[in-house]
């Protein structure tokens, strides 16, 4: 079995968000529920996984013993899901401030752009990771 925390901890090395830290400090159970949501939304994007990604949500575990490569891919997919949510929040914020023209001068605008660029690069990296992962066991795909 692989605990969700093994994957999420890898993802949190990349994501430094004061809101997540605050949630962790306020309520660990709510934090885990929140971050688990990003993992659950990431799972369908790893269709190429050789192992079953069946999980037990109550125990917060995958039934399989995931490899380091599989955990890394899932962690990166988690980060992509987190960035999508974060960028959606920024977009809503921008829309709210657009009339006042203060968004142009606001640092959040630059953050949104940088986050979008990073998320795009991470998607490319995940695709490379998945290809490398598939090549590890080429015989599986050649049948």
């Amino acid at each position: 079995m692989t605990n969700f925390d093994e994957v999420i901890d890898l993802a949190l090395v990349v994501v430094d968000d004061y809101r997540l830290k605050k949630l962790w400090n306020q309520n660990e159970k709510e934090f885990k529920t929140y971050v688990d949501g990003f993992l659950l939304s990431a799972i369908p994007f790893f269709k190429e996984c050789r192992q079953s990604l069946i999980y037990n949500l109550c125990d917060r575990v995958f039934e399989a013993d995931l490899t380091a490569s599989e955990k890394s891919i899932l962690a990166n997919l988690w980060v992509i899901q987190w960035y999508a949510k974060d960028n959606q929040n920024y977009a809503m914020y921008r829309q709210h401030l657009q009339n006042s023209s203060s968004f142009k001068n606001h640092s959040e605008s630059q953050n949104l752009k940088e986050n979008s660029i990073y998320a795009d690069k991470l998607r490319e990296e995940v695709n490379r990771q998945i290809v490398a992962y598939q090549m590890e066991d080429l015989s599986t795909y050649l049948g």
Side-chain angles (χ1 to χ4, degrees), residues 25-91:
N25 290 329
Q26 289 177 345
N27 189 320
E28 185 179 335
K29 184 177 179 183
E30 283 184 27
F31 170 83
K32 287 182 178 185
T33 298
Y34 184 70
V35 296
D36 287 357
F38 293 111
L39 181 57
L40 298 177
S41 66
I43 292 169
F45 293 99
F46 193 12
K47 295 178 178 109
E48 302 83 0
C49 191
R50 291 188 295 266
Q51 297 196 66
S52 170
L53 293 177
I54 293 174
Y55 56 86
N56 178 323
L57 190 55
C58 292
D59 294 332
R60 299 181 66 248
V61 295
F62 290 98
E63 291 181 5
D65 288 324
L66 300 179
T67 66
S69 294
E70 291 161 345
K71 291 175 197 176
S72 178
I73 290 168
L74 283 171
N76 284 332
L77 290 168
W78 185 102
V79 172
I80 290 169
Q81 295 303 108
W82 178 85
Y83 269 110
K85 170 82 168 149
D86 200 48
N87 284 347
Q88 183 181 28
N89 288 344
Y90 283 134

Side-chain angles (χ1 to χ4, degrees), residues 7-16 20 31 35 75 78-79 82:
V7 175
I8 293 169
D9 287 349
L10 290 173
L12 291 175
V13 168
V14 175
V15 172
D16 185 24
L20 290 175
F31 170 83
V35 296
W78 185 102
V79 172
W82 178 85

Side-chain angles (χ1 to χ4, degrees), residues 7 22 24 63 86 88 114 120 136 139:
V7 175
K22 183 178 179 182
W24 169 263
E63 291 181 5
D86 200 48
Q88 183 181 28
E114 289 175 15
D120 288 342
E136 289 174 1
S139 64

